[in-house]
């Protein structure tokens, strides 16, 4: 992850104003292409549950909205009465600024995620993450340390994890700080390149010995 581009920033109130989100409202977001495998429908279902305890909360779907899947999600949002509470950002060049405006990042994927870059980006931003136990996600999120792991297709579990973070701001902040620390010490680009080169060097040395 690019720890320079994705790093803790002051909240961007102009982003919140753009979407009509009050400065004191919790803002929770999911970032990723609109595809069934990303589990957006479960994010929307979880939002409905979270609002029962935190009615001022707002939710962002950060995606390009370029296929029919987006319209299906809009219909779901209308059907459960969440218009104005679950919002689409559309394509954004200022992704890091939008993420900085959020309190919690959520990944509701139900499959794939052999390389879940977005979890690393949330961590690098210093945000706690709620993610499903699919693909590489359980290897990246440290449950109870940088965020919470939940089963896929379980909207209630997602909602409960988010609510726990909203109830305990100190814990949420601690998760975010630890996530940033791991992004810098384990997942930064320079270290990734260094470790990759080390593997290549080892392979070359083994070939020379043969």
């Amino acid at each position: 992850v690019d720890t320079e581009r994705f790093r803790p920033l002051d909240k961007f109130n102009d982003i919140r104003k753009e979407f009509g989100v009050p400065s004191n409202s919790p803002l929770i977001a999911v970032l990723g292409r609109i595809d069934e495998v990303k589990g957006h429908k479960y994010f929307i279902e979880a939002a409905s549950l979270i609002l029962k305890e935190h009615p001022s909360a707002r939710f962002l779907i950060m995606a390009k909205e370029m296929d029919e899947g987006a319209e299906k999600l809009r219909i779901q949002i209308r059907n459960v009465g969440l218009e104005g509470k679950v919002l689409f950002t559309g394509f954004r060049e200022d992704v890091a600024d939008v993420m900085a405006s959020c309190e919690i990042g959520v990944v509701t994927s139900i499959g794939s995620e052999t390389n879940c870059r977005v979890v690393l980006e949330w961590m690098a931003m210093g945000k706690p993450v709620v993610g499903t136990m699919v693909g590489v996600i359980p290897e990246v999120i440290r449950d109870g340390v940088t965020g919470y792991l939940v089963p896929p297709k379980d909207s209630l579990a997602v909602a409960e994890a988010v609510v726990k973070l909203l109830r305990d701001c100190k814990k949420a902040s601690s998760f975010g700080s630890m996530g940033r620390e791991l992004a810098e010490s384990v997942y930064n680009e320079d270290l990734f390149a260094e470790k990759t080169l080390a593997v290549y060097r080892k392979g070359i040395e083994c070939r020379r010995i043969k």
Side-chain angles (χ1 to χ4, degrees), residues 124-143:
M125 293 294 300
K127 305 294 181 178
V129 193
V130 174
T132 49
M133 293 181 283
V134 298
V136 75
I137 295 175
E139 297 180 38
V140 181
I141 295 177
R142 297 191 181 182
D143 192 39

Side-chain angles (χ1 to χ4, degrees), residues 1-12 15 29 31 62 94-105 117-129 146 172-184 187:
V1 63
D2 184 345
T3 53
E4 285 300 313
R5 180 184 180 194
F6 296 95
R7 66 187 191 281
L9 302 168
D10 292 333
K11 287 184 180 179
F12 284 74
I15 297 290
L31 168 61
M62 300 170 65
D94 58 344
V95 170
D97 290 354
V98 179
M99 294 171 78
S101 302
C102 301
E103 272 70 43
I104 300 168
R117 185 184 299 272
V118 69
V119 168
L120 298 177
E121 291 170 350
W122 282 117
M123 288 169 53
M125 293 294 300
K127 305 294 181 178
V129 193
T146 63
S173 178
S174 173
F175 284 6
S177 296
M178 182 57 71
R180 174 63 188 183
E181 184 177 320
L182 284 173
E184 290 181 312
Y187 299 112

